[in-house]
Amino acid sequence: MTAAARLPRALRPFGSRQYRLLTAALAASLLSAGAWIVSAVWQVVELGGTPVDLSFVAVGSSLGLVLAVLFGGVAADRIPQRRILLTVEVVRGVAFSVAAVLAATGLIEVWHLAVLSFVLGLADGFFYPAYSAWLPAILPEGQLLAANGIEGVLRPSVMNAAGPAVASALIAVQGPWLAFAVIAGLQVVAAAVLGVMRTTPVRRVIDGPPVHPVRQTFVDLRDGFAYLLRTKWLLATLIFSILLVFVIMGPIEVLLPFAVKDQTGGGAGAFALALAAFGVGGAVGSLAVASMRLPRRYLTLMILAWGFGCLPLAIIGFTSWLWVMVVALFICGLLFSGASVVWGTLLQRRVPPAMLGRVSSLDFFVSLALMPISMAVAGPVGEWIGIAPAFLIAGLVSPVLAIGTLALARLGKDELAHPLDAMVDAEPVTGAGAAAGFESPVDEPHDRGDSPGETGARV
């Protein structure tokens, strides 16, 4: 028995040196991202900003992400993913450094933060598809659920808990400028770790006559959209996601800081605690899912967890007790992140390797397409109808969307016909050839998902 096999199921990916390095880089990057959230919010507050100003900054980030993520998916299927991630970390480090200098010199304004958030959103648009496409190339298929669970632990616990805690402490000592400077240093750590990793070949080969890169980019995008439209479980889930994100992201990103400040009298520390509750809940949910086998009804349970996991948001606008907000956000994080672990594994198991970067980017693009609008309208809506009704709508509409999706899409037959549990030997979802990129997953009645000259093989 190997050392990795002796580890608990949820920790087996750490038997790979490549994965350990990737996780270290991811942790540093997530810590800086979490610290940026609180630092940017409190910089807006210190400048005398309103919910509308915060919407302006939040829209910058989400707009950059939506604009870049499709091209990020194309790049992830053509360029070694390590190079993409390394470039992203360098760009993020430069953006944080600029924020630190502007804040330290007293020159920073709200529009500066909006522009920097836009740049960070562009970088994130290339990060997520590259990370998602790289993971199956460095780990065996049976460890993907655990790896997604580990990411699910890191993302909320580091980005939503540790990052805001670090930022609030630094803000208390000096101000947002110090937090900006420290998180710029964290990006140096992330880039250094990625720099010592091995470059993994892209799991795709392109034959046929040369095509102009611009034309080929749009051909790749067309093929990705075609795969999305003909794959029912993917299309139904993403339609649900786009509506859910529109309903909940504006209140969480824009109105939560003001709910904490106005209803509980809390400052940066209280806001960080609220984010930390969501993060800790997400970590617990992700670890629990990573330690178990995938559920048989994975699509049904995943969509219900996302929808009903947002129900506690309904009470946030009606309480003046911080601990009630903390409990509500903990439950949201628990169910939301647990379902996200299943979703990440589902994509990596049922999407052809040569298409995974584009499908991952479409996942972000389609599900987040309305996020800038949600954030843009959250501030004005919060001032118009009040914070409490805005959170009430977000909490009550979410489970209705989940139930409606399951009733209309009827995904039950699909999930029963295509089990994802790696222990089901009679009907393997993917074989060794599919994991290596030489053939499509056996549970999908589709072609290679690329243009006629592409075989999807490892290069």
Side-chain angles (χ1 to χ4, degrees), residues 242-314:
I242 193 173
L243 297 175
L244 183 68
V245 166
F246 175 73
V247 169
I248 69 170
M249 288 306 296
I252 291 175
E253 294 288 340
V254 176
L255 300 181
L256 181 60
F258 293 93
V260 171
K261 176 175 175 286
D262 298 338
Q263 294 171 208
T264 72
F271 177 54
L273 180 61
L275 292 180
F278 184 88
V280 172
V284 173
S286 298
L287 186 60
V289 172
S291 302
M292 300 183 291
R293 297 180 183 180
L294 281 161
R296 194 71 178 86
R297 292 279 190 177
Y298 53 90
L299 287 169
T300 300
L301 292 176
M302 178 184 72
I303 291 174
L304 288 177
W306 274 332
F308 282 86
C310 298
L311 185 59
L313 294 176

Side-chain angles (χ1 to χ4, degrees), residues 132-156:
S132 297
W134 199 16
L135 200 59
I138 64 177
L139 286 176
E141 175 189 298
Q143 294 181 9
L144 291 177
L145 178 63
N148 289 317
I150 292 167
E151 181 197 354
V153 171
L154 286 177
R155 191 169 296 280

Side-chain angles (χ1 to χ4, degrees), residues 24-34 89 92 96 127 158 186-187 190:
L26 178 65
S29 183
L30 291 175
L31 187 61
S32 66
E89 301 299 0
R92 284 162 52 87
F96 293 144
F127 180 93
V158 175
L186 288 171
Q187 292 305 125

Side-chain angles (χ1 to χ4, degrees), residues 289-367:
V289 172
S291 302
M292 300 183 291
R293 297 180 183 180
L294 281 161
R296 194 71 178 86
R297 292 279 190 177
Y298 53 90
L299 287 169
T300 300
L301 292 176
M302 178 184 72
I303 291 174
L304 288 177
W306 274 332
F308 282 86
C310 298
L311 185 59
L313 294 176
I315 68 173
I316 286 181
F318 293 93
T319 182
S320 59
W321 293 332
L322 181 61
W323 72 266
V324 174
M325 293 185 182
V326 166
V327 172
L329 290 168
F330 175 86
I331 296 172
C332 290
L334 180 79
L335 295 175
F336 208 90
S337 294
S340 297
V341 171
V342 176
W343 175 242
T345 308
L346 169 59
L347 291 181
Q348 292 158 355
R349 295 285 297 277
R350 292 187 65 174
V351 174
M355 184 69 71
L356 187 53
R358 279 164 289 173
V359 171
S360 297
S361 70
L362 284 170
D363 170 27
F364 280 98
F365 176 77
V366 174
S367 62

Side-chain angles (χ1 to χ4, degrees), residues 79-163:
I79 302 172
Q81 293 91 4
R82 171 185 165 274
R83 298 176 187 173
I84 298 174
L85 295 180
L86 183 57
T87 302
V88 166
E89 301 299 0
V90 171
V91 170
R92 284 162 52 87
V94 171
F96 293 144
S97 299
V98 170
V101 172
L102 290 175
T105 56
L107 299 176
I108 197 164
E109 298 180 16
V110 171
W111 73 267
H112 292 143
L113 293 169
V115 171
L116 291 172
S117 293
F118 177 76
V119 172
L120 293 171
L122 290 176
D124 286 342
F126 284 85
F127 180 93
Y128 293 118
Y131 177 86
S132 297
W134 199 16
L135 200 59
I138 64 177
L139 286 176
E141 175 189 298
Q143 294 181 9
L144 291 177
L145 178 63
N148 289 317
I150 292 167
E151 181 197 354
V153 171
L154 286 177
R155 191 169 296 280
S157 62
V158 175
M159 187 170 74
N160 297 117

Side-chain angles (χ1 to χ4, degrees), residues 209-232:
V211 179
H212 191 279
V214 174
R215 181 184 175 189
Q216 187 62 57
T217 295
F218 287 97
V219 169
D220 287 349
L221 288 176
R222 179 202 64 193
D223 292 341
F225 273 108
Y227 177 82
L228 166 64
L229 293 176
R230 69 174 181 262
T231 308
K232 181 180 178 181

